Amino acid sequence: MTRWIRSPEAATSRTALRERLLGPSAPPGTGGPPRTRIPGTPAAVWAFATRHAFWLVPALITALAAWLRLVNLSTPHDLIFDETYYVKDAFTLLQSGFERQWPDEGADEAFLAGDPQPLDERSYVVHPPLGKWLIGLGMLAFGTDNGLGWRFAPAVAGTLSVLLVYLVGRKLLGSILLGGIAALLTAVDGHHIVMSRTALLDIFTMFFCLAAFYVLLLDRDDGRRRLAALAAAAVVPGQRAAQLLYGPWNAWRPWRLVAGVMLGAAVGTKWSALAYVAAFGLLTVLWDVGARRAAGVRYWGAAGLFRDGIPAFLTIIPAAAATYLATWTGWLRTAGGYHRQWAENNPEAAWPLVPDALRSLAEYHRSAYDFHRGLGSEHSWESGPETWLFAGRPVLYHYDSPTAADGCAFETCSRVVTDLPNPLIWWSAALALLVVLFFWAGARDWRAGAILAGVAAGFVPWWFYPERTMFFFYTIAFHPFMMLALAYVLGLALGAPTAGRRPRLLPGSPAGPPLGHLPPSAAPPEHDDARTAVASERRRAGLAVVGVFMALAIALSAFFWPVWTGQTISYEAWHLRVWLPSWG
């Protein structure tokens, strides 16, 4: 007589499949804020905070992020660094639907004085238009003659990305506390603050890629719930082995449509986001392969690639392509854009069914790709990817020396905007990547792999273009994943809120428990009491270490705040913040 650990009926039930695919529900309070009241906090305040932490933590952190990004946003009143291109391009997009040229002399000064005078000549630009359209929306709301207008949209995108980091951290790490830590680190880091306060394109690329990652996390859970229901319904008693050879089709995944739109918007801002389309597309299919394995599908690899991979491709890629094409609406609906009439001047009999507008757009893309591939002019603030993880050469966006008439109260003054990250946060995050890599390769933690995928998509492709001019600010695309990596490691340092050791994540396991959560012990009561006492002491020590780290990080951000926001300080104060010669 066969003796089952679990009968086939029980193992393939909807409840059993959901538990294997999504993991057991965590006990109340797991992963939330510390249960021990912080000394000096009124009991009523602490009770309210812990009871409403789910919405209170992200609300407070997002409010802080908004203040850090919006306060004195019009300072400095200048087109700093590449704002001189994107802001003026945004203005002409609003005026004409396509980018136009500007005079070689005095264009910036006239623009800052509120008297922009673009030429009637079309301009050759090599970045898609969506980010510039978004910058233009801010100018529509607040005017073209002040920094609030052209920096408002980046500031909003940066603020909302902090909220997204919380949502991703809460979902990925299973913890309000760790989601809050990741979001707070993002909110106070100088690299993210400066990029949010500057009218460049990269902050939008980061926002859309992060949004795509979040909705793919939602799709992961939704897809596994659907798979559990479909698999349980498809299994007929006596035919389980045959029914689970490949598992059911699970093609309808609406969250993937949203992800496709977000990725299309990211590419419509900068082509570098194409790496995220590839990385996230592969990632979501690998998640499905793991889901079929966990569900007991025999040929889980082939089934995942064909029954999930092909529908994923046919869902994400068309949505991304349609969104990307929509970002060119202004160019397509007008006649004056660069290369807009190329197809009419170069008829092609081999493609009679392709509209001239699309042929012209394809030629524009070919030309722009050649430009990007050959872009190798020297720049005083350029840096290669080999320096990025230790912030070897952050970009100095703006520097001037105010006089007494400009409010200088010192012998010599400096007014600086530098894309310098908080050194403690950035360097710690770079080291955290090694720990995350270990947990991905050693413990096969899918969460670690997801974080590494987000970093790799924004980091690795640049190594294939060593001759190209590159800058540190390109790293903003994977900045959120650096913060998630650091939060992951801080979660390990916190220790478990209950007794025990962190369980091993089995191959193909769904989410695993939240970092630090452990199931109840099966040890005898006296052993369990001792185990609980040791874990409680470990937890207190972990909270102290993480608390000190966060306090130091916030204090260091306050120290660097003047050189992130263009405040007038003494030259000595600026020099005090140049820790490495390459920073100044």
Side-chain angles (χ1 to χ4, degrees):
M1 178 179 176
T2 303
R3 304 185 65 178
W4 304 96
I5 296 175
R6 178 181 283 191
S7 69
E9 290 78 7
T12 55
S13 70
R14 183 170 181 174
T15 301
L17 287 171
R18 281 176 61 97
E19 184 172 325
R20 288 212 302 277
L21 292 169
L22 295 169
S25 299
T30 298
R35 296 183 183 182
T36 305
R37 179 159 57 96
I38 297 175
T41 306
V45 173
W46 185 253
F48 178 85
T50 53
R51 188 180 306 115
H52 300 283
F54 185 82
W55 66 266
L56 191 60
V57 170
L60 292 176
I61 294 175
T62 304
L64 172 64
W67 183 83
L68 293 174
R69 284 150 183 78
L70 292 170
V71 65
N72 295 327
L73 190 57
S74 58
T75 301
H77 182 62
D78 196 2
L79 295 174
I80 62 176
F81 201 65
D82 281 354
E83 284 187 343
T84 186
Y85 305 116
Y86 303 134
V87 172
K88 291 185 294 186
D89 282 347
F91 178 84
T92 55
L93 279 173
L94 294 176
Q95 298 295 313
S96 308
F98 58 90
E99 296 91 341
R100 288 154 53 190
Q101 294 184 25
W102 295 78
D104 293 334
E105 300 291 337
D108 285 5
E109 291 76 9
F111 192 93
L112 294 170
D115 185 29
Q117 295 292 333
L119 303 176
D120 289 334
E121 295 292 326
R122 56 196 175 186
S123 177
Y124 178 60
V125 296
V126 292
H127 289 300
L130 180 57
K132 290 167 282 189
W133 279 113
L134 294 174
I135 292 171
L137 291 178
M139 291 195 286
L140 280 178
F142 298 103
T144 62
D145 59 347
N146 66 91
L148 176 62
W150 62 77
R151 295 175 188 143
F152 182 75
V156 171
T159 300
L160 292 178
S161 70
V162 172
L163 177 60
L164 271 177
V165 168
Y166 167 79
L167 295 173
V168 169
R170 174 70 180 87
K171 189 74 175 172
L172 187 69
L173 305 179
S175 168
I176 295 174
L177 179 58
L178 296 183
I181 286 174
L184 183 58
L185 291 169
T186 306
V188 303
D189 179 62
H191 184 25
H192 197 279
I193 290 173
V194 172
M195 293 302 295
S196 301
R197 295 173 60 91
T198 309
L200 303 186
L201 305 180
D202 301 77
I203 195 72
F204 301 117
T205 303
M206 178 272 293
F207 173 81
F208 289 125
C209 289
L210 183 61
F213 183 76
Y214 177 60
V215 295
L216 286 177
L217 285 176
L218 298 178
D219 170 75
R220 184 181 184 276
D221 284 359
D222 181 60
R224 286 175 174 240
R225 281 190 292 266
R226 291 170 182 268
L227 179 62
L230 291 169
V235 172
V236 178
Q239 302 179 20
R240 286 178 176 80
Q243 293 288 343
L244 289 178
L245 283 177
Y246 295 97
W249 287 89
N250 188 16
W252 173 237
R253 307 282 283 274
W255 283 118
R256 280 180 171 166
L257 283 173
V258 181
V261 171
M262 292 297 104
L263 289 170
V267 179
T269 304
K270 260 194 162 184
W271 286 358
S272 55
L274 282 168
Y276 282 93
V277 178
F280 289 172
L282 179 61
L283 188 65
T284 188
V285 173
L286 290 177
W287 286 345
D288 283 346
V289 169
R292 289 185 180 267
R293 185 183 183 189
V297 173
R298 182 174 182 181
Y299 300 115
W300 46 269
L305 291 176
F306 289 99
R307 294 198 172 188
D308 294 313
I310 293 176
F313 181 88
L314 295 177
T315 303
I316 294 174
I317 299 304
T323 303
Y324 177 77
L325 186 62
T327 66
W328 287 88
T329 299
W331 187 89
L332 290 168
R333 289 180 61 85
T334 56
Y338 196 88
H339 268 337
R340 181 62 182 82
Q341 307 301 325
W342 179 89
E344 295 180 6
N345 299 325
N346 297 271
E348 176 59 64
W351 302 94
L353 299 180
V354 179
D356 284 348
L358 294 183
R359 287 186 55 234
S360 296
L361 187 60
E363 171 60 22
Y364 197 147
H365 280 64
R366 185 205 61 77
S367 173
Y369 174 76
D370 287 343
F371 174 88
H372 281 295
R373 188 176 57 179
L375 183 62
S377 59
E378 292 186 3
H379 194 285
S380 58
W381 291 100
E382 66 178 311
S383 62
E386 69 277 2
T387 70
W388 290 349
L389 291 184
F390 58 89
R393 186 66 168 166
V395 180
L396 184 65
Y397 285 156
H398 175 80
Y399 182 91
D400 64 19
S401 300
T403 63
D406 301 316
C408 176
F410 307 96
E411 183 177 350
T412 55
C413 286
S414 297
R415 192 155 47 202
V416 179
V417 178
T418 177
D419 183 28
L420 176 67
N422 180 311
L424 177 62
I425 294 175
W426 189 255
W427 292 339
S428 298
L431 292 175
L433 291 177
L434 298 176
V435 179
V436 174
L437 179 62
F438 173 81
F439 272 84
W440 173 62
R444 287 170 283 182
D445 187 343
W446 73 272
R447 296 168 293 189
I451 292 170
L452 291 174
V455 174
F459 183 50
V460 173
W462 297 108
W463 289 86
F464 294 97
Y465 301 93
E467 73 286 349
R468 192 188 190 280
T469 305
M470 292 176 278
F471 299 95
F472 174 75
F473 66 78
Y474 293 175
T475 62
I476 195 63
F478 59 87
H479 183 281
F481 299 95
M482 297 280 287
M483 301 302 102
L484 290 166
L486 183 51
Y488 182 101
V489 173
L490 291 175
L492 298 174
L494 277 172
T498 54
R501 58 187 176 82
R502 189 171 183 269
R504 179 175 177 268
L505 294 176
L506 300 177
S509 67
L515 288 180
H517 163 62
L518 299 168
S521 171
E526 62 274 13
H527 293 170
D528 197 53
D529 290 343
R531 190 164 170 251
T532 301
V534 171
S536 297
E537 186 64 29
R538 164 73 176 81
R539 178 70 169 180
R540 283 193 292 270
L543 286 169
V545 169
V546 173
V548 169
F549 177 87
M550 295 300 293
L552 289 175
I554 293 170
L556 199 57
S557 289
F559 175 71
F560 281 100
W561 171 255
V563 301
W564 295 337
T565 55
Q567 296 185 25
T568 301
I569 57 176
S570 69
Y571 176 80
E572 290 74 17
W574 156 234
H575 189 69
L576 187 64
R577 291 161 173 82
V578 181
W579 291 6
L580 299 177
S582 58
W583 288 3

